[in-house]
Amino acid sequence: MIWKKAKTLLSVYYAYMVEYRAELILWVLAGSLPIILMGVWIQASQGGQFGLTPVDFARYFLAVFLVRQFTMVWVIWEFEREVVEGKLSSRLLQPLDPAWHHVTSHISERAARMPFIILLIALFFLLYPQAFWIPSLSQICLFTIAILLAFTLRFVIQYTFAMFAFWTERASALENFWFLFYLFLSGLIAPLEVFPEPVRAAVLCTPFPYLIDFPVSILVGLPTDIGRGFAMMIGWTLLFLGLNRILWRAGLKRYSGMGA
Protein backbone atom coordinates (compact mmCIF):
# COMPACT_ATOMS: atom_id res chain seq x y z
CA MET A 1 0.00 0.00 0.00
CA ILE A 2 2.79 2.41 0.94
CA TRP A 3 4.74 1.44 -2.17
CA LYS A 4 1.70 2.10 -4.39
CA LYS A 5 1.25 5.57 -2.88
CA ALA A 6 4.93 6.36 -3.33
CA LYS A 7 4.94 5.08 -6.90
CA THR A 8 1.87 7.15 -7.77
CA LEU A 9 3.26 10.33 -6.25
CA LEU A 10 6.65 9.87 -7.89
CA SER A 11 5.16 9.24 -11.34
CA VAL A 12 2.80 12.21 -11.06
CA TYR A 13 5.47 14.65 -9.90
CA TYR A 14 8.02 13.36 -12.41
CA ALA A 15 5.55 13.93 -15.26
CA TYR A 16 4.95 17.40 -13.88
CA MET A 17 8.67 18.19 -13.69
CA VAL A 18 9.58 17.07 -17.20
CA GLU A 19 6.92 19.40 -18.60
CA TYR A 20 9.17 22.28 -17.61
CA ARG A 21 12.51 21.24 -19.13
CA ALA A 22 13.55 24.81 -19.88
CA GLU A 23 12.95 25.78 -16.27
CA LEU A 24 14.96 22.75 -15.13
CA ILE A 25 17.91 23.86 -17.24
CA LEU A 26 17.76 27.30 -15.64
CA TRP A 27 17.62 25.70 -12.18
CA VAL A 28 20.71 23.63 -12.97
CA LEU A 29 22.57 26.68 -14.29
CA ALA A 30 21.45 28.71 -11.25
CA GLY A 31 23.49 26.34 -9.11
CA SER A 32 26.69 27.06 -11.03
CA LEU A 33 28.15 29.42 -8.40
CA PRO A 34 30.72 26.75 -7.39
CA ILE A 35 32.03 26.71 -10.96
CA ILE A 36 32.59 30.47 -10.78
CA LEU A 37 34.29 30.19 -7.38
CA MET A 38 36.45 27.40 -8.76
CA GLY A 39 38.18 29.87 -11.07
CA VAL A 40 38.78 32.29 -8.22
CA TRP A 41 40.33 29.67 -5.93
CA ILE A 42 42.40 28.08 -8.71
CA GLN A 43 43.90 31.47 -9.38
CA ALA A 44 44.48 32.12 -5.68
CA SER A 45 46.11 28.73 -5.17
CA GLN A 46 48.87 29.53 -7.65
CA GLY A 47 50.81 30.97 -4.70
CA GLY A 48 50.62 27.63 -2.88
CA GLN A 49 49.41 29.11 0.41
CA PHE A 50 46.36 26.93 0.99
CA GLY A 51 47.65 23.36 1.07
CA LEU A 52 45.51 22.46 -1.95
CA THR A 53 46.65 22.40 -5.56
CA PRO A 54 44.70 24.00 -8.43
CA VAL A 55 43.52 20.53 -9.44
CA ASP A 56 42.33 19.88 -5.87
CA PHE A 57 40.28 23.08 -5.97
CA ALA A 58 38.87 22.17 -9.38
CA ARG A 59 37.74 18.75 -8.16
CA TYR A 60 36.42 20.19 -4.91
CA PHE A 61 34.18 22.80 -6.53
CA LEU A 62 32.99 20.39 -9.21
CA ALA A 63 31.92 18.09 -6.38
CA VAL A 64 30.27 21.06 -4.65
CA PHE A 65 28.31 21.70 -7.83
CA LEU A 66 27.23 18.05 -7.88
CA VAL A 67 26.22 18.02 -4.20
CA ARG A 68 24.25 21.24 -4.60
CA GLN A 69 22.32 19.76 -7.51
CA PHE A 70 21.20 16.83 -5.36
CA THR A 71 20.51 18.76 -2.14
CA MET A 72 18.68 21.89 -3.32
CA VAL A 73 15.42 22.35 -1.37
CA TRP A 74 12.52 24.76 -1.85
CA VAL A 75 9.86 23.25 0.42
CA ILE A 76 9.55 26.37 2.59
CA TRP A 77 8.21 28.47 -0.31
CA GLU A 78 5.72 25.79 -1.34
CA PHE A 79 4.49 25.20 2.20
CA GLU A 80 4.28 28.91 2.95
CA ARG A 81 2.07 29.41 -0.11
CA GLU A 82 -0.16 26.46 0.84
CA VAL A 83 -0.75 27.87 4.31
CA VAL A 84 -1.28 31.47 3.24
CA GLU A 85 -3.60 30.55 0.37
CA GLY A 86 -5.42 27.86 2.34
CA LYS A 87 -4.41 25.08 -0.05
CA LEU A 88 -3.14 23.01 2.86
CA SER A 89 -6.75 22.23 3.79
CA SER A 90 -7.23 19.78 0.92
CA ARG A 91 -3.93 18.05 1.77
CA LEU A 92 -5.07 17.56 5.37
CA LEU A 93 -8.11 15.62 4.14
CA GLN A 94 -5.91 13.02 2.48
CA PRO A 95 -4.75 9.89 4.39
CA LEU A 96 -1.14 10.97 3.90
CA ASP A 97 1.13 13.41 5.67
CA PRO A 98 1.49 16.50 3.40
CA ALA A 99 5.26 16.26 3.81
CA TRP A 100 5.34 13.28 1.46
CA HIS A 101 4.03 15.40 -1.40
CA HIS A 102 7.02 17.69 -0.98
CA VAL A 103 9.49 14.82 -0.57
CA THR A 104 8.36 13.07 -3.75
CA SER A 105 8.32 16.31 -5.74
CA HIS A 106 11.95 16.94 -4.75
CA ILE A 107 13.01 13.38 -5.62
CA SER A 108 11.22 13.53 -8.97
CA GLU A 109 12.88 16.83 -9.78
CA ARG A 110 16.31 15.27 -9.09
CA ALA A 111 15.57 12.49 -11.57
CA ALA A 112 14.37 14.97 -14.19
CA ARG A 113 17.48 17.16 -13.97
CA MET A 114 19.95 14.25 -14.05
CA PRO A 115 20.62 14.37 -17.83
CA PHE A 116 21.54 18.08 -17.65
CA ILE A 117 23.90 17.46 -14.72
CA ILE A 118 25.69 14.65 -16.55
CA LEU A 119 26.03 16.83 -19.65
CA LEU A 120 27.58 19.73 -17.70
CA ILE A 121 30.02 17.45 -15.86
CA ALA A 122 31.11 15.85 -19.14
CA LEU A 123 31.60 19.34 -20.61
CA PHE A 124 33.70 20.35 -17.60
CA PHE A 125 36.06 17.39 -17.96
CA LEU A 126 36.30 18.05 -21.69
CA LEU A 127 37.44 21.62 -21.00
CA TYR A 128 39.62 20.78 -17.98
CA PRO A 129 40.85 17.17 -18.41
CA GLN A 130 43.57 17.58 -15.74
CA ALA A 131 40.88 17.45 -13.06
CA PHE A 132 39.44 14.11 -14.23
CA TRP A 133 39.53 11.38 -11.60
CA ILE A 134 37.71 8.17 -10.81
CA PRO A 135 36.72 7.77 -7.13
CA SER A 136 37.12 4.34 -5.55
CA LEU A 137 34.11 2.12 -5.01
CA SER A 138 34.19 2.80 -1.26
CA GLN A 139 34.25 6.56 -1.90
CA ILE A 140 31.26 6.29 -4.23
CA CYS A 141 29.28 4.23 -1.70
CA LEU A 142 30.07 6.55 1.20
CA PHE A 143 29.37 9.59 -0.97
CA THR A 144 25.98 8.18 -1.95
CA ILE A 145 25.04 7.69 1.70
CA ALA A 146 26.35 11.16 2.56
CA ILE A 147 24.31 12.73 -0.26
CA LEU A 148 21.12 11.02 0.93
CA LEU A 149 21.72 12.16 4.51
CA ALA A 150 22.68 15.68 3.40
CA PHE A 151 19.47 16.02 1.39
CA THR A 152 17.44 14.64 4.30
CA LEU A 153 19.06 17.05 6.75
CA ARG A 154 18.64 20.03 4.42
CA PHE A 155 15.02 19.14 3.75
CA VAL A 156 14.16 18.61 7.43
CA ILE A 157 15.82 21.89 8.43
CA GLN A 158 13.96 23.90 5.81
CA TYR A 159 10.67 22.08 6.44
CA THR A 160 11.05 22.91 10.13
CA PHE A 161 11.46 26.59 9.26
CA ALA A 162 8.39 26.24 7.03
CA MET A 163 6.28 25.40 10.09
CA PHE A 164 6.55 29.03 11.15
CA ALA A 165 4.19 29.82 8.26
CA PHE A 166 1.44 29.01 10.76
CA TRP A 167 2.48 32.09 12.75
CA THR A 168 3.80 34.44 10.04
CA GLU A 169 3.19 35.00 6.34
CA ARG A 170 6.92 35.29 5.68
CA ALA A 171 8.44 32.13 7.09
CA SER A 172 10.81 32.17 4.11
CA ALA A 173 12.62 35.10 5.76
CA LEU A 174 14.03 32.55 8.24
CA GLU A 175 15.46 30.56 5.36
CA ASN A 176 17.02 33.70 3.88
CA PHE A 177 18.70 34.45 7.23
CA TRP A 178 19.84 30.82 7.60
CA PHE A 179 21.24 30.89 4.06
CA LEU A 180 23.79 33.54 5.02
CA PHE A 181 25.42 31.11 7.44
CA TYR A 182 24.96 28.21 5.02
CA LEU A 183 26.74 30.18 2.31
CA PHE A 184 29.92 30.75 4.33
CA LEU A 185 30.08 27.76 6.69
CA SER A 186 28.96 24.85 4.53
CA GLY A 187 31.96 24.74 2.21
CA LEU A 188 30.10 26.38 -0.65
CA ILE A 189 32.34 29.45 -0.73
CA ALA A 190 35.58 27.82 0.44
CA PRO A 191 36.73 24.37 1.58
CA LEU A 192 36.91 23.95 5.33
CA GLU A 193 40.51 22.89 4.75
CA VAL A 194 41.49 26.55 4.30
CA PHE A 195 39.77 27.69 7.53
CA PRO A 196 41.93 28.42 10.60
CA GLU A 197 41.87 25.36 12.87
CA PRO A 198 39.93 26.97 15.79
CA VAL A 199 37.26 28.25 13.37
CA ARG A 200 37.09 24.89 11.61
CA ALA A 201 36.64 23.06 14.91
CA ALA A 202 33.76 25.34 15.87
CA VAL A 203 32.08 25.05 12.46
CA LEU A 204 32.21 21.25 12.63
CA CYS A 205 29.89 21.40 15.64
CA THR A 206 27.16 22.99 13.49
CA PRO A 207 25.05 21.27 10.79
CA PHE A 208 26.42 23.46 7.98
CA PRO A 209 29.58 21.59 6.88
CA TYR A 210 27.69 18.30 6.65
CA LEU A 211 25.45 19.72 3.95
CA ILE A 212 28.27 20.25 1.45
CA ASP A 213 31.87 20.00 2.68
CA PHE A 214 31.56 16.56 4.26
CA PRO A 215 30.14 14.66 1.25
CA VAL A 216 32.46 16.60 -1.08
CA SER A 217 35.51 15.67 1.01
CA ILE A 218 34.52 12.00 0.81
CA LEU A 219 34.22 12.10 -2.98
CA VAL A 220 37.47 13.95 -3.71
CA GLY A 221 39.49 12.22 -1.00
CA LEU A 222 40.16 15.11 1.39
CA PRO A 223 40.84 14.13 5.03
CA THR A 224 37.64 13.91 7.05
CA ASP A 225 36.30 12.02 10.07
CA ILE A 226 33.68 9.84 8.39
CA GLY A 227 32.30 8.31 11.58
CA ARG A 228 31.80 11.68 13.25
CA GLY A 229 30.37 13.14 10.06
CA PHE A 230 27.63 10.55 9.72
CA ALA A 231 26.86 10.71 13.44
CA MET A 232 26.49 14.50 13.31
CA MET A 233 24.24 14.31 10.25
CA ILE A 234 21.93 11.78 11.88
CA GLY A 235 21.94 13.67 15.18
CA TRP A 236 21.05 17.03 13.62
CA THR A 237 18.38 15.39 11.46
CA LEU A 238 16.71 13.79 14.48
CA LEU A 239 16.90 17.07 16.41
CA PHE A 240 15.22 19.10 13.67
CA LEU A 241 12.74 16.30 12.97
CA GLY A 242 11.62 16.33 16.59
CA LEU A 243 11.29 20.12 16.53
CA ASN A 244 9.39 19.85 13.25
CA ARG A 245 6.77 17.52 14.70
CA ILE A 246 6.28 19.75 17.74
CA LEU A 247 5.78 22.84 15.56
CA TRP A 248 3.50 20.90 13.17
CA ARG A 249 1.11 19.87 15.95
CA ALA A 250 1.13 23.36 17.48
CA GLY A 251 0.69 24.98 14.08
CA LEU A 252 -2.31 22.87 13.10
CA LYS A 253 -4.16 24.22 16.14
CA ARG A 254 -3.69 27.75 14.75
CA TYR A 255 -4.38 26.97 11.11
CA SER A 256 -7.67 28.41 9.89
CA GLY A 257 -7.49 27.58 6.19
CA MET A 258 -7.53 31.23 5.19
CA GLY A 259 -7.83 31.79 1.47
CA ALA A 260 -9.41 28.38 0.86
Side-chain angles (χ1 to χ4, degrees):
M1 187 65 178
I2 296 177
W3 166 245
K4 287 184 178 180
K5 291 180 180 179
K7 184 179 179 181
T8 301
L9 286 173
L10 287 170
S11 61
V12 168
Y13 281 111
Y14 180 78
Y16 175 77
M17 292 298 173
V18 295
E19 287 183 359
Y20 299 92
R21 293 184 180 89
E23 185 177 345
L24 276 174
I25 295 175
L26 292 177
W27 271 103
V28 172
L29 295 177
S32 60
L33 175 62
I35 305 300
I36 299 172
L37 291 171
M38 177 196 304
V40 175
W41 280 102
I42 287 177
Q43 194 68 26
S45 66
Q46 300 294 337
Q49 302 174 353
F50 300 104
L52 296 175
T53 66
V55 171
D56 290 332
F57 277 110
R59 292 174 177 173
Y60 179 89
F61 282 104
L62 176 65
V64 170
F65 170 77
L66 184 61
V67 170
R68 283 272 291 157
Q69 295 300 320
F70 283 108
T71 59
M72 290 182 68
V73 177
W74 60 87
V75 62
I76 191 168
W77 289 278
E78 288 187 345
F79 189 83
E80 181 183 78
R81 186 180 67 254
E82 290 177 356
V83 173
V84 172
E85 297 179 1
K87 295 180 179 179
L88 181 62
S89 301
S90 60
R91 294 279 174 89
L92 294 175
L93 296 175
Q94 300 175 7
L96 185 71
D97 191 306
W100 291 111
H101 285 277
H102 300 294
V103 171
T104 52
S105 71
H106 281 67
I107 294 174
S108 299
E109 194 269 351
R110 296 301 113 93
R113 73 164 60 192
M114 184 65 70
F116 306 116
I117 297 173
I118 295 174
L119 181 62
L120 285 175
I121 292 176
L123 179 62
F124 171 81
F125 285 132
L126 184 64
L127 296 175
Y128 194 25
Q130 303 96 311
F132 181 78
W133 89 105
I134 300 178
S136 66
L137 181 60
S138 61
Q139 284 177 305
I140 294 174
C141 292
L142 290 172
F143 175 73
T144 302
I145 298 172
I147 278 287
L148 292 173
L149 288 175
F151 167 73
T152 302
L153 176 57
R154 184 80 177 96
F155 182 89
V156 171
I157 290 173
Q158 194 177 107
Y159 194 47
T160 300
F161 292 154
M163 295 299 105
F164 286 94
F166 289 120
W167 287 271
T168 174
E169 295 183 6
R170 290 293 178 267
S172 54
L174 290 172
E175 170 63 19
N176 294 333
F177 179 71
W178 168 273
F179 187 77
L180 293 175
F181 295 94
Y182 169 80
L183 192 64
F184 292 100
L185 304 180
S186 65
L188 176 59
I189 295 294
L192 262 64
E193 280 290 309
V194 305
F195 284 28
E197 188 55 37
V199 176
R200 185 170 181 270
V203 172
L204 287 173
C205 295
T206 71
F208 300 106
Y210 307 102
L211 299 172
I212 292 183
D213 186 84
F214 176 68
V216 166
S217 297
I218 291 177
L219 185 63
V220 301
L222 294 178
T224 186
D225 189 333
I226 295 176
R228 173 183 173 171
F230 284 131
M232 291 292 286
M233 294 174 88
I234 294 172
W236 280 109
T237 299
L238 293 176
L239 176 63
F240 275 97
L241 185 60
L243 180 59
N244 178 280
R245 293 297 86 185
I246 293 172
L247 292 173
W248 169 256
R249 295 188 184 95
L252 284 180
K253 295 177 181 179
R254 294 178 53 88
Y255 179 64
S256 60
M258 57 180 175

